[in-house]
Amino acid sequence: MATINVYTESTPNPATMKFLVNKLLINGSLDYPDREKAQESDFARELFKFNFVNGVFFASNFVTITKVDEAEWSDIEALLKDFVKGAVESELAVKPIEHSEDVVFEGSEVEIKIQQVLHDYVRPAVEQDGGAIAYKSFDAGKVTVELRGSCSGCPSSTITLKAGIEGLLKRMVPEVEEVVAEAM
């Protein structure tokens, strides 16, 4: 068995830290914003047993963990790093993927263009910060997206949404006039 290495990266959300591993954890992403939703995932359920864990998000080779306000990263980071290493080494299940890895965009020509831009340009950048973005709808010039992982509740997510994502979509898809995030 190869040695599992875990390293951390801060995210734009001060309550969230990204724990990266040198192994694929999941194809796609899964968000567990609370203990109740985490019951389907052995890995997430075990993380929520720590009283300072407030959210768990998985994508490719990382898990993003959101802490409660009272906890300090300096007190819990090493503990979580050890836990993640042990969980990956013991192959604790994130969750089996039941759907195809092929990305299928649906809707009108404009909606397909929007989804393609979000997938190709926005998703990789958002994943680098420990989060994910999902297309929800397009109506009368307004694109609605859902931000998950470290992006959910992040202080800088509004700036990212308006200055980054909205600007990019307006340039690449002229029909777009506004981008808003749907509350989770």
Side-chain angles (χ1 to χ4, degrees):
M1 179 173 76
T3 302
I4 298 298
N5 296 312
V6 180
Y7 65 97
T8 57
E9 286 182 3
S10 59
T11 72
N13 183 348
T16 303
M17 187 165 296
K18 190 172 165 183
F19 293 78
L20 294 106
V21 297
N22 57 331
K23 179 180 179 180
L24 182 68
L25 298 176
I26 184 172
N27 286 316
S29 65
L30 286 170
D31 191 20
Y32 299 105
D34 57 49
R35 183 172 271 107
E36 185 179 307
K37 289 195 174 73
Q39 295 310 302
E40 69 181 35
S41 165
D42 295 342
F43 200 141
R45 189 175 54 248
E46 291 301 311
L47 278 168
F48 271 103
K49 288 183 178 177
F50 292 107
N51 64 357
F52 49 78
V53 171
N54 201 29
V56 176
F57 174 78
F58 296 97
S60 59
N61 70 328
F62 66 87
V63 56
T64 302
I65 301 171
T66 304
K67 67 174 185 65
V68 296
D69 291 338
E70 300 78 40
E72 295 296 329
W73 284 117
S74 58
D75 297 331
I76 62 175
E77 181 179 352
L79 177 66
L80 287 170
K81 207 170 168 179
D82 287 344
F83 173 83
V84 169
K85 179 178 172 58
V88 174
E89 286 174 345
S90 66
E91 298 184 3
L92 194 58
V94 172
K95 181 179 182 237
I97 297 296
E98 295 132 13
H99 57 80
S100 165
E101 286 183 50
D102 297 333
V103 179
V104 178
F105 304 122
E106 296 176 346
S108 69
E109 192 177 319
V110 172
E111 288 175 297
I112 290 171
K113 241 161 93 177
I114 292 166
Q115 292 169 66
Q116 188 75 52
V117 170
L118 289 172
H119 181 269
D120 293 348
Y121 299 97
V122 178
R123 181 187 54 85
V126 170
E127 283 183 357
Q128 284 232 292
D129 285 339
I133 186 167
Y135 170 81
K136 296 310 254 177
S137 65
F138 175 71
D139 185 39
K142 182 165 111 179
V143 176
T144 303
V145 296
E146 179 182 80
L147 298 172
R148 296 176 292 168
S150 72
C151 297
S152 178
C154 172
S156 63
S157 66
T158 304
I159 296 164
T160 300
L161 188 70
K162 291 296 179 184
I165 300 167
E166 186 175 276
L168 178 70
L169 279 171
K170 282 179 170 180
R171 283 192 307 278
M172 296 183 84
V173 186
E175 296 85 349
V176 172
E177 297 169 15
E178 180 185 21
V179 178
V180 297
E182 184 179 80
M184 286 194 45

